[in-house]
Amino acid sequence: KYQTGTGETNESACSLCQPGSFQTGTGIALSNTCENCTAGTYQPNLGASSSGACLTCPAGTYQGSGGSSSCVACESGKYNSDTGKTSESDCAVCGAGKYQSGTGMQLASNCLNCGAGSFQSGTGTSVCSLCGLGTYQSLTGVSSSAFCSACGAGKYQTGSGIASDSDCSSCLVGTYSSGTGQPSSGSCAQCSTGTYQSLSGQGSCVACGAGKFQSGTGGTDESGCTACGTGTYQSGTGMASSGDCSQCGSGTYQSGTGFASTAACLACPAGTFQASSGSSSCGACGTGTYQTGTGMTLSSTCQNCAAGTYLSTQGAVSSAACSACGTGTYQSNAGSSSCVACGTGKYNSDTGVTNSACSACGAGKYQSGTGMQLASNCLDCGAGSFQSGTGTSVCSLCGVGLYLPSTGMQSSASCLPCVAGKYQTGSGIGPESQCTQCIVGTYSTGTAQSLSSTCSSCSSGSFQSSSGQSTCSSCSVGSYSGTSGASVCTLCGTGTYQ
């Protein structure tokens, strides 16, 4: 204490030395006789009476001035593990990769490692810098942004300070991103035509395989790739349209889909051809033709079956399929699907006949059917008919008033006339018994008569009691016939005579 006045009657008039100072004597008259605590110490109280009241600045603080009532804390990012320090420079700085946000720190261990997702290249700092967009950092205590790794291809990150690659967002299926360290989903592009991506977070898309194409974008699965159609193939990958599928050439075909090589185009087999490209099948050689080669491009390469043969089916592979025309038939043209039957009145007993030389049935015979094979198929003209020509289907009938009991006759001269007393209104009569007799009371003197009116009535005075007669008889003496057409004469009555 000290007292600058006089005549004071009480100790309370003595003033106390200020904090940061002390006074060891008594009866001191001036304030400047209070001694300051030295730098590195502090004294927080009034009226300190000895230097022992000056306290050493603790660790984490310093005091560069004497007569101080407190010490200054080391600022954030720094620490001091010693006591009695007199300068801010006595506070050590936290190293790179570390930070300290508090003040008055005493130990190096109070400096904390920068967390995952951050770094610090400077020293003595209170915060760490965050890894930027599109990056991550999984370690702690790193000292450079170089430790921040870019999110890989197929990924992006819209936030900062990310700690793990798993925190990077993946591009959706059907999209990709070839770059790294991308800051937004806008970096994910749709898979282009001809490609797809069924997984998320990919740096590229997968090309549609050989034999397929994809005309849309953003494909998410291989099933979205369309197979090249029948008659086509595709050896490349990543094709964008059906127009990229190559057509199988003429003379070949392809009935399946999605093939990757021209080897899938098959040569048209024997018996077929294909003039167009891009075909799913081959056309068969028509009836009457065959083809022994493969890979043919034109129907004209189908060979005709020879004359005298036929082929009713299509797609034959050799001439052995052509069958010889059978007996009763012929074929004069090559490349035929059937043979021509011998016409009526004809026959053929040979096979493979190439012209219409079917044998004609002889005179006196006929044949109404076709395709006959033997001479025995020619039939004799029946009774009442004849045939003077050959190769006919019918016989000529003997005319009215005629008859013919024999068969196989060759001339109309063979037809016989109905005798006198008979007539015949029909034609084609066989036995003579079928000539109709003139009735009793009539007669006919002519032959080959065709009408009943040719039978004349016996005149009066005559008669005819038999049918089919050529004359009438006169009534005998003692009898008479008073009318014509009498079949008997009447005896003269009593009292008369003749």
Side-chain angles (χ1 to χ4, degrees):
K1 297 179 180 181
Y2 64 93
Q3 173 53 263
T4 60
T6 59
E8 297 297 331
T9 61
N10 194 304
E11 187 181 10
S12 60
C14 296
S15 299
L16 297 174
C17 287
Q18 294 298 306
S21 63
F22 64 91
Q23 176 53 261
T24 58
T26 59
I28 302 303
L30 299 173
S31 61
N32 57 8
T33 58
C34 293
E35 299 181 56
N36 286 332
C37 293
T38 61
T41 65
Y42 71 101
Q43 204 289 97
N45 299 314
L46 294 169
S49 59
S50 71
S51 61
C54 295
L55 304 176
T56 301
C57 286
T61 66
Y62 67 92
Q63 182 49 262
S65 301
S68 298
S69 60
S70 63
C71 297
V72 181
C74 289
E75 61 186 19
S76 58
K78 299 180 179 181
Y79 67 94
N80 180 5
S81 57
D82 296 326
T83 60
K85 293 301 180 179
T86 62
S87 172
E88 183 182 10
S89 62
D90 292 324
C91 295
V93 295
C94 292
K98 296 180 181 291
Y99 75 100
Q100 175 50 261
S101 59
T103 59
M105 297 297 106
Q106 303 173 6
L107 302 172
S109 59
N110 295 133
C111 296
L112 305 177
N113 284 332
C114 289
S118 66
F119 66 94
Q120 182 49 263
S121 57
T123 59
T125 61
S126 60
V127 293
C128 296
S129 299
L130 297 178
C131 289
L133 303 181
T135 65
Y136 68 95
Q137 208 294 93
S138 58
L139 303 175
T140 60
V142 299
S143 59
S144 170
S145 61
F147 287 93
C148 297
S149 301
C151 289
K155 296 185 177 183
Y156 63 94
Q157 179 50 260
T158 59
S160 56
I162 302 305
S164 171
D165 175 66
S166 62
D167 294 322
C168 296
S169 299
S170 294
C171 291
L172 300 176
V173 294
T175 67
Y176 75 101
S177 175
S178 59
T180 60
Q182 300 301 320
S184 72
S185 60
S187 62
C188 300
Q190 283 194 329
C191 290
S192 61
T193 56
T195 66
Y196 68 94
Q197 182 49 261
S198 58
L199 301 175
S200 61
Q202 300 302 305
S204 62
C205 295
V206 181
C208 288
K212 297 182 179 182
F213 66 92
Q214 167 62 274
S215 57
T217 59
T220 60
D221 192 82
E222 186 182 15
S223 62
C225 299
T226 304
C228 288
T230 57
T232 66
Y233 67 94
Q234 177 49 261
S235 58
T237 60
M239 297 298 108
S241 74
S242 59
D244 294 318
C245 299
S246 301
Q247 290 188 334
C248 293
S250 58
T252 67
Y253 74 101
Q254 171 51 263
S255 59
T257 59
F259 284 95
S261 168
T262 185
C265 299
L266 306 177
C268 289
T272 67
F273 66 95
Q274 181 51 260
S276 301
S277 57
S279 299
S280 60
S281 62
C282 298
C285 288
T287 57
T289 66
Y290 65 93
Q291 174 54 264
T292 58
T294 60
M296 297 296 106
T297 61
L298 299 173
S299 60
S300 60
T301 58
C302 298
Q303 298 172 276
N304 287 329
C305 290
T309 67
Y310 74 100
L311 178 58
S312 60
T313 58
Q314 297 181 334
V317 300
S318 76
S319 60
C322 303
S323 300
C325 290
T327 56
T329 66
Y330 69 95
Q331 182 50 263
S332 57
N333 296 320
S336 299
S337 61
S338 62
C339 297
V340 181
C342 288
T344 57
K346 298 181 180 182
Y347 68 94
N348 179 15
S349 58
D350 295 324
T351 60
V353 175
T354 61
N355 54 43
S356 59
C358 297
S359 300
C361 291
K365 296 181 181 292
Y366 76 99
Q367 175 48 263
S368 59
T370 59
M372 296 298 107
Q373 304 171 5
L374 302 172
S376 60
N377 296 132
C378 298
L379 304 177
D380 285 338
C381 290
S385 66
F386 66 93
Q387 182 51 262
S388 58
T390 60
T392 62
S393 61
V394 294
C395 294
S396 301
L397 298 178
C398 289
V400 292
L402 303 175
Y403 72 96
L404 180 57
S406 300
T407 61
M409 294 296 102
Q410 302 176 8
S411 170
S412 60
S414 302
C415 298
L416 304 174
C418 289
V419 296
K422 297 182 179 183
Y423 66 93
Q424 179 49 261
T425 60
S427 58
I429 301 305
E432 195 263 348
S433 62
Q434 290 185 340
C435 292
T436 304
Q437 295 181 342
C438 291
I439 61 175
V440 294
T442 66
Y443 72 100
S444 173
T445 59
T447 60
Q449 300 302 313
S450 61
L451 299 172
S452 61
S453 61
T454 60
C455 297
S456 302
S457 296
C458 292
S459 62
S460 58
S462 64
F463 72 98
Q464 182 50 265
S465 60
S466 298
S467 60
Q469 299 302 308
S470 61
T471 62
C472 293
S473 299
S474 297
C475 289
S476 61
V477 174
S479 63
Y480 70 97
S481 168
T483 60
S484 62
S487 61
V488 295
C489 292
T490 305
L491 294 176
C492 291
T494 55
T496 65
Y497 71 95
Q498 175 54 267

